[in-house]
């Protein structure tokens, strides 16, 4: 399945920053209970790789595919694949990282901020890119401008996406999914507030048409 087709089914990619891997399985359960189908675990904390392992271990039970975010190198792509990740996300476009993901059969979502980067990603075989930071770049209007000449490319906004903006993004023909962290706040995860996360995830799933 192409990255764009996969993301069109997912609709929403929660961005998880986790400080304690012991919280990971409960987090995955809360997301799965709400009908959310995937999560991006960012490599921003020492606990990230262990959390990815824990979430992959319960993925069949929760129904939540695990992706690895903040991927900066081909070596990290290799490690993500070995850990059982379904996809990788990068803050920018790096040809070696994209090539390694494609070699391993992983869906790959590189970040772009310009038309030149989007074109380079498309030439490297990507059918979808992450627009980051979407809010600062101009939101839906910016994606509309980028997608006008790049009609075959999908765009996933990330950065500043929230319940107020998500539906507007998803209404755009070039946006298969949105990426955001409002339903998985770092402090809520750290303090084990999974009822809060579950409730926010149900609301987010309904907002993007998963419920």
């Amino acid at each position: 399945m192409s990255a764009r087709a996969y993301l069109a089914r997912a609709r929403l990619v929660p961005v998880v920053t986790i400080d304690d891997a012991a919280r990971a399985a409960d987090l995955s359960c809360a997301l799965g209970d709400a009908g959310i189908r995937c999560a991006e675990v960012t490599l921003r904390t020492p606990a990230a790789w262990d959390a990815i392992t824990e979430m992959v271990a319960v993925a069949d039970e929760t129904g939540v595919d695990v992706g690895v975010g903040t991927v900066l190198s081909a070596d990290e792509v290799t490690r993500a694949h070995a850990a059982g990740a379904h996809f990788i996300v990068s803050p920018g476009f790096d040809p070696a990282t994209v090539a390694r993901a494609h070699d391993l059969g992983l869906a790959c979502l590189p970040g772009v901020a310009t038309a030149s980067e989007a074109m380079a990603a498309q030439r490297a075989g990507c059918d979808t890119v992450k627009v980051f930071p979407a809010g600062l770049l101009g939101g839906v209007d910016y994606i509309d401008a980028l997608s006008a000449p790049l009609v075959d490319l999908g765009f996933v906004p990330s950065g500043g996406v929230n319940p107020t903006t998500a539906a507007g993004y998803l209404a755009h023909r070039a946006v298969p999914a949105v990426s955001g962290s409002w339903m998985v706040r770092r402090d809520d995860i750290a303090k084990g507030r999974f009822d809060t996360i579950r409730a926010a995830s149900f609301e987010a799933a309904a907002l993007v048409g998963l419920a």
Side-chain angles (χ1 to χ4, degrees):
M1 185 183 299
S2 72
R4 187 166 184 173
Y6 176 84
L7 290 162
R9 291 178 59 188
R11 298 287 284 172
L12 175 64
V13 184
V15 180
V16 174
T17 302
I18 189 166
D19 298 285
D20 182 356
R23 304 289 195 189
D26 287 334
L27 172 64
S28 189
C29 287
L31 294 173
D33 287 348
I36 292 175
R37 297 170 180 169
C38 69
E40 170 196 342
V41 180
T42 67
L43 298 180
R44 299 177 188 173
T45 69
W49 284 113
D50 287 339
I52 289 162
T53 298
E54 293 298 320
M55 291 178 73
V56 168
V58 297
D60 287 343
E61 175 186 346
T62 65
V64 178
D65 292 339
V66 183
V68 179
T70 325
V71 172
L72 303 178
S73 69
D75 287 344
E76 288 179 343
V77 176
T78 301
R79 187 171 180 182
H81 179 263
H86 276 68
F87 61 96
I88 64 103
V89 184
S90 297
F93 169 67
D94 173 61
T97 298
V98 170
R100 186 59 176 155
H102 289 165
D103 286 346
L104 294 173
L106 285 176
C108 178
L109 193 63
V112 305
T114 67
S116 295
E117 292 169 341
M119 290 170 62
Q122 192 171 36
R123 284 195 300 270
C126 297
D127 68 358
T128 311
V129 293
K130 177 178 78 168
V131 178
F132 177 79
L136 293 177
L137 290 169
V140 175
D141 289 343
Y142 189 68
I143 289 176
D144 195 47
L146 275 181
S147 65
L150 301 173
V151 295
D152 295 325
L153 197 60
F155 297 86
V156 175
S158 182
V161 180
N162 57 52
T164 302
T165 61
Y169 281 121
L170 286 167
H172 196 284
R173 59 155 188 87
V175 176
V178 294
S179 171
S181 60
W182 75 88
M183 77 300 297
V184 285
R185 297 186 186 280
R186 184 173 182 175
D187 188 55
D188 286 337
I189 298 171
K191 294 182 178 177
R193 297 173 183 150
F194 296 110
D195 287 343
T196 299
I197 292 169
R198 186 175 286 102
S201 296
F202 269 106
E203 291 176 0
L207 183 67
V208 303
L210 290 176

